[in-house]
Amino acid sequence: MDLSGPVNSAFTNALPKVELHAHLSGSISRQCLHKIWKRKKERDSHFSIEDPLVLMPPGKVDYTLQTFFQVFSKLIYQLCNDLESLAYATNSVLEDFHNDGVRYLELRTIPRASPESNITQGEYLAAVLDTIQRFKARTQEMSIFLILALDRGNTTAAEAMRIIDLAIANKPRGVVGVDLCGNPTQGDVTIYRDAFARAKAHGLGITLHFAETPASGNPAELAALLSFQPDRLGHVIHVPDEVKKEIVRRKLGLELY
Ligand SMILES: CNc1ncnc2c1ncn2[C@@H]1O[C@H](COP(=O)(O)O)[C@@H](O)[C@H]1O
């Protein structure tokens, strides 16, 4: 790589990069969502979801905490609710990261059952892992691992245990850790204590969405999250000083953005 030239987009694109905090469904391009929508619309003219490019025209970024999470539940999850669309979207996300120069990727996703399409959490996960395996075999220049996420406020304690079991069972296929994500204004994180203890006991890495909003930056929640013995923390924005000191003392990895 030529280091004598200007630092421009061609240069930054060519730099080999590490991506550690990428939600699968949050990384699907609008163009890819449009293609999935078009295919569904062609097969079923009554398909009632609006074109993603109309709902989210390129450049639209004015989402708030109130509207952001609905994009997943009301749009993206309605489009990627069958294995063909899920595999297509996953492959497109991998291609986009590859084209951006990412050479080490830890992708994360909440394994989602789709009862309307008869898809179990295990089948969802297998489709993602199969797509990753095929992509790796094809490109041969990208390390790709998977993190399974729990969705605070939506995942029950019992479901969390099932997801941890799936993560443990799929370690040989490249599942390296578990995450706690979702709408930071919802849910009681303490219900996941046993799930994270089991993950830890089985050698899975733990990363947690942490103090992403003022609502999720309260000392009781942060103390509970730190008691799960995380290896990494995501966002880390609304953090009181004494918690910052503890993060430094533990030398935790921070996924800042
Ligand atoms: C920007 N800040 C964020 N904070 C918290 N959770 C987020 C998030 N962005 C995305 N997600 C979580 O990731 C899911 C989508 O990917 P998967 O369905 O898992 O592939 C969303 O439903 C949300 O729970």
Side-chain angles (χ1 to χ4, degrees):
M1 153 169 222
D2 179 13
L3 294 176
S4 61
V7 177
N8 52 25
S9 63
F11 174 87
T12 52
N13 194 273
L15 279 177
K17 287 173 278 290
V18 170
E19 170 60 67
L20 299 179
H21 189 129
H23 296 269
L24 169 59
S25 306
S27 305
I28 308 170
S29 69
R30 297 166 201 224
Q31 200 55 43
C32 174
L33 290 171
H34 171 75
K35 284 187 191 153
I36 293 172
W37 171 84
K38 196 158 166 274
R39 191 157 51 188
K40 283 192 186 281
K41 197 75 185 169
E42 279 162 5
R43 286 180 188 171
D44 171 12
S45 60
H46 299 296
F47 184 61
S48 61
I49 301 291
E50 175 89 83
D51 181 350
L53 284 183
V54 173
L55 290 176
M56 291 192 299
K60 177 175 166 56
V61 289
D62 57 342
Y63 292 97
T64 66
L65 203 55
Q66 276 68 41
T67 56
F68 172 73
F69 288 94
Q70 291 185 6
V71 176
F72 293 102
S73 56
K74 298 221 157 82
L75 178 62
I76 302 175
Y77 291 162
Q78 308 297 324
L79 292 167
C80 299
N81 64 351
D82 63 281
L83 294 180
E84 187 188 354
S85 304
L86 175 65
Y88 183 78
T90 304
N91 191 63
S92 161
V93 165
L94 297 177
E95 271 173 5
D96 288 347
F97 279 122
H98 184 248
N99 291 338
D100 277 347
V102 171
R103 291 297 175 264
Y104 179 98
L105 171 65
E106 289 181 8
L107 199 58
R108 62 185 69 190
T109 193
I110 305 161
R112 241 170 324 106
S114 292
E116 72 280 9
S117 316
N118 248 334
I119 298 171
T120 64
Q121 280 182 330
E123 287 163 338
Y124 175 101
L125 177 57
V128 173
L129 287 170
D130 289 348
T131 308
I132 290 175
Q133 192 176 335
R134 278 195 296 273
F135 185 87
K136 277 170 69 175
R138 235 182 14 255
T139 56
Q140 305 246 333
E141 55 177 8
M142 198 167 157
S143 301
I144 309 169
F145 299 97
L146 197 65
I147 295 171
L148 298 194
L150 313 179
D151 187 4
R152 60 181 292 171
N154 281 319
T155 305
T156 65
E159 282 163 354
M161 272 300 181
R162 282 199 288 279
I163 292 175
I164 302 301
D165 284 342
L166 269 181
I168 294 167
N170 284 281
K171 277 175 73 179
R173 293 204 69 194
V175 175
V176 289
V178 288
D179 170 38
L180 179 61
C181 67
N183 189 331
T185 64
Q186 288 175 14
D188 169 10
V189 300
T190 62
I191 67 167
Y192 304 118
R193 188 176 302 284
D194 292 346
F196 283 109
R198 181 161 167 73
K200 194 92 195 164
H202 284 265
L204 287 162
I206 294 179
T207 178
L208 304 171
H209 280 61
F210 193 88
E212 188 178 0
T213 63
S216 60
N218 68 79
E221 171 163 324
L222 300 186
L225 292 173
L226 286 175
S227 77
F228 298 168
Q229 302 298 320
D231 304 283
R232 301 200 311 238
L233 301 174
H235 301 287
V236 203
I237 301 166
H238 300 276
V239 186
D241 282 344
E242 59 279 16
V243 179
K244 280 186 193 159
K245 284 191 196 128
E246 180 60 11
I247 292 170
V248 171
R249 192 188 69 75
R250 294 197 198 182
K251 298 192 169 78
L252 298 181
L254 305 186
E255 302 158 0
L256 302 175
Y257 78 102

